[in-house]
Amino acid sequence: MSQLYIYNTLERAKVPFEPIAPPHVGLYVCGPTVYGDPHLGHARSAITFDILFRYLKHLGYKVRYVRNVTDVGHLEHDADDGEDKIAKKAKLEQLEPMEVAYYYLTRYHDSLRLLNVLPPSIEPLASGHIIEQIALVQQILDAGYAYVSQGSVYFDVLKYHADHPYGILSGRNVEDMISNTRELDGQDEKHNPLDFALWKKAQPNHIMRWPSPWSEGFPGWHCECTAMGRKYLGAHFDIHGGGLDLTFPHHECEIAQAVASQGEPMVKYWMHNNMITVDGKKMAKSAGNFITLEEFFTGDHPALEQAYAPMTIRFFVLSAHYRGTVDFSNSALQAAEKGYQRLMDADAKLQSLKPSATSTIEKIDLAERCKEAMDDDINTPMVIAALFDAARLINSIHDGHEQITSEQLEELRRAYDLYLHDILGMQSATETADLSGSQQEAFAGAMDLLLEIRAKAKASKDWETSDLIRDKLTALGFEIQDTKSGAEWKVL
């Protein structure tokens, strides 16, 4: 039995995954700040950790997966500057901040459901855990690593760095950061420009505020994950994930908060997915170069040549290793669309294959290859490569060029279904259309009945009826192929 290895950003190496308290695994992932529609960058992070969640469960671990929602405290700039992103949106649209947060959270959930991303075990909101964040701030103050200034509370980076390394995750040098960090207007209440807010005093026009021992205000952005991670996963848990852009300052600050408040780190493994880029630049709301998931699904964006189905987007994300960059282009998405369809076509043929008494195939090694790839830091491109090889074999058997025994066929079906559907999470068009299992069976049964009627029409040389059925189904978005073993269909 092979060992799962994952890349730990903290160690800058692939290391064996050894849970703190097996068979239990604690997984925390930074979720969205809900002030706008989700885009492809959000999809990449969600799909990356969905795959990890699926695979850990497949390995037999009991996973508690916590993915937070930031609905307060995320300011426009990392240096504790600017307005709260959600409050700003609320003012622009003349809504309550929670209306904004709930609206975009619903949109996020709708998109992830179409992408077949499993829901986490717990999805806590930052605004629902103000008490825990205040308690965290007080612990850091009591430990001497924070100070109160004009009603706000700041983390004292230099005092902390004298006792513990600040920059351990991102590899940044404190002295270099000090020399390269300029003081911003309105930041004179900090002892040092590197200090970050644990609690911010609300200005009179700030509409999101809570009482605290220091002022009416709101928690700093970094506090929520430390407080909620500890609440739901304990003082020590296995994996903390998120986008690579969160390594600094967000995750660096999380490590400092945990060590300052409890004397030791909280997280064993830090995992980061890389970015989606557009012409080499990160796709982000702040950069204004993002395409929302809904625009991908409808094709309603000037940069898109066509609409792309949710499973095409999922396949596109999984075609690259999660730690590599992925540059958006229509040609790459169109290639993903073709690749996805090849695997789904083979999946349909696999179900109709008939075994032979003898075999021309030496060995079915699909499960072995896929497991080896997944154990090598969740290498989904290598899993897909193995599935493509299996698809070629399936097509060859289907066309009568190879023979397979019943035992080999069962082994192939198990492995193909496990890795294509259960672990990679790829769905057929009917599954993506939100049909229940019984509805899918009824849908497939109706199609088979139509093709049976067409086959009888052809057999009796009733070409008018045969062509009518084919043409009507084609107009409705089906592709009908006549093969040696009968007619086959798929949804385009």
Side-chain angles (χ1 to χ4, degrees):
M1 183 176 177
S2 58
Q3 164 76 52
L4 170 62
Y5 280 74
I6 58 176
Y7 187 88
N8 188 357
T9 307
L10 193 62
E11 300 180 62
R12 292 165 181 74
K14 280 192 282 191
V15 296
F17 176 65
E18 297 171 349
I20 295 168
H24 300 280
V25 171
L27 168 63
Y28 188 101
V29 174
C30 289
T33 300
V34 281
Y35 70 103
D37 277 333
H39 56 67
L40 195 57
H42 295 118
R44 188 175 197 195
S45 183
I47 291 169
T48 293
F49 292 103
D50 179 58
I51 296 294
L52 178 64
F53 182 34
R54 288 168 180 268
Y55 192 60
L56 289 171
K57 290 198 299 179
H58 165 68
L59 293 178
Y61 292 115
K62 299 181 185 301
V63 186
R64 178 176 289 175
Y65 176 16
V66 180
R67 186 183 67 211
N68 75 296
V69 175
T70 299
D71 59 350
V72 65
H74 195 169
L75 303 185
E76 292 175 282
H77 309 294
D78 288 336
D80 305 319
D81 183 41
E83 287 189 81
D84 181 290
K85 293 183 176 183
I86 292 171
K88 181 179 180 179
K89 186 80 169 183
K91 287 179 185 176
L92 289 172
E93 299 188 5
Q94 296 185 321
L95 299 169
E96 281 291 325
M98 288 303 106
E99 283 184 89
V100 171
Y102 185 76
Y103 174 79
Y104 287 112
L105 179 57
T106 300
R107 305 268 289 177
Y108 177 76
H109 286 159
D110 288 345
S111 292
L112 295 199
R113 177 180 48 77
L114 290 172
L115 292 167
N116 197 28
V117 172
L118 300 176
S121 314
I122 303 171
E123 192 173 45
L125 276 66
S127 63
H129 296 78
I130 301 297
I131 292 172
E132 289 83 359
Q133 293 177 78
I134 289 174
L136 171 67
V137 175
Q138 188 62 59
Q139 287 172 336
I140 298 172
L141 279 167
D142 293 344
Y145 292 114
Y147 56 90
V148 181
S149 177
Q150 301 178 35
S152 293
V153 183
Y154 291 96
F155 191 94
D156 193 327
V157 170
L158 293 185
K159 190 167 184 182
Y160 173 83
H161 187 60
D163 300 326
H164 310 280
Y166 182 77
I168 189 172
L169 183 68
S170 61
R172 300 193 180 201
N173 181 279
V174 168
E175 289 71 27
D176 290 343
M177 285 192 283
I178 291 172
S179 63
N180 294 326
T181 303
R182 65 181 180 85
E183 289 201 30
L184 298 170
D185 293 340
Q187 299 295 304
D188 56 346
E189 60 192 46
K190 293 184 180 183
H191 291 177
N192 186 290
L194 289 186
D195 296 347
F196 57 88
L198 299 173
W199 184 266
K200 287 283 284 183
K201 179 181 179 180
Q203 298 304 310
N205 63 341
H206 197 95
I207 54 179
M208 299 178 77
R209 59 175 68 216
W210 290 264
S212 80
W214 317 288
S215 64
E216 273 213 349
F218 53 93
W221 172 38
H222 313 304
C223 286
E224 62 179 281
C225 292
T226 304
M228 295 191 293
R230 185 157 61 189
K231 178 179 176 68
Y232 295 110
L233 298 174
H236 303 96
F237 61 88
D238 299 292
I239 302 171
H240 193 316
L244 188 64
D245 56 324
L246 297 178
T247 307
F248 187 89
H250 187 48
H251 291 163
E252 195 75 71
C253 293
E254 279 194 61
I255 290 176
Q257 290 170 161
V259 173
S261 62
Q262 65 185 35
E264 56 189 346
M266 190 160 57
V267 177
K268 187 173 181 180
Y269 302 96
W270 288 86
M271 295 181 70
H272 294 92
N273 65 275
N274 215 320
M275 300 175 291
I276 298 284
T277 57
V278 181
D279 297 328
K281 296 180 181 178
K282 174 191 169 187
M283 180 180 283
K285 291 191 184 80
S286 57
N289 65 348
F290 67 97
I291 303 172
T292 69
L293 292 174
E294 183 178 38
E295 288 168 337
F296 275 106
F297 301 156
T298 62
D300 188 19
H301 190 281
L304 298 174
E305 294 177 2
Q306 63 179 78
Y308 296 99
M311 286 300 103
T312 297
I313 300 298
R314 187 176 178 100
F315 191 87
F316 171 69
V317 169
L318 295 178
S319 296
H321 191 268
Y322 76 90
R323 287 193 289 112
T325 56
V326 177
D327 198 57
F328 157 77
S329 70
N330 280 282
S331 60
L333 280 163
Q334 287 159 8
E337 185 175 56
K338 290 177 182 176
Y340 157 69
Q341 197 57 60
R342 278 175 59 197
L343 293 186
M344 297 311 297
D345 287 349
D347 185 45
K349 290 176 182 176
L350 179 58
Q351 308 314 313
S352 63
L353 292 185
K354 299 292 188 290
S356 302
T358 59
S359 173
T360 58
I361 302 158
E362 186 175 335
K363 182 184 178 184
I364 303 294
D365 62 353
L366 179 60
E368 181 181 320
R369 287 180 61 190
C370 289
K371 178 167 173 46
E372 185 177 323
M374 289 298 293
D375 284 344
D376 184 17
D377 194 28
I378 317 298
N379 196 329
T380 57
M382 293 305 296
V383 174
I384 290 172
L387 288 169
F388 275 139
D389 286 345
R392 280 190 284 274
L393 175 60
I394 291 165
N395 289 331
S396 186
I397 298 167
H398 179 269
D399 295 340
H401 303 309
E402 298 277 6
Q403 292 182 326
I404 189 170
T405 65
S406 57
E407 292 82 4
Q408 288 177 322
L409 181 55
E410 184 59 30
E411 181 184 353
L412 180 59
R413 282 174 175 163
R414 273 199 310 268
Y416 202 89
D417 184 65
L418 170 64
Y419 284 95
L420 180 65
H421 298 298
D422 295 349
I423 292 175
L424 293 190
M426 302 306 301
Q427 294 179 308
S428 67
T430 53
E431 288 173 312
T432 309
D434 243 6
L435 298 179
S436 68
S438 60
Q439 288 173 323
Q440 288 172 36
E441 289 179 13
F443 181 86
M447 284 298 300
D448 291 342
L449 176 61
L450 277 171
L451 293 183
E452 185 181 332
I453 294 170
R454 178 171 175 265
K456 289 180 179 178
K458 287 180 68 177
S460 61
K461 302 189 185 307
D462 182 0
W463 308 118
E464 183 179 355
T465 301
S466 170
D467 292 346
L468 177 65
I469 293 173
R470 182 199 60 207
D471 294 344
K472 288 289 187 183
L473 288 174
T474 301
L476 289 169
F478 294 90
E479 181 180 306
I480 309 301
Q481 289 185 330
D482 291 310
T483 71
K484 292 179 182 178
S485 56
E488 296 176 351
W489 62 273
K490 65 182 178 181
V491 182
L492 296 174

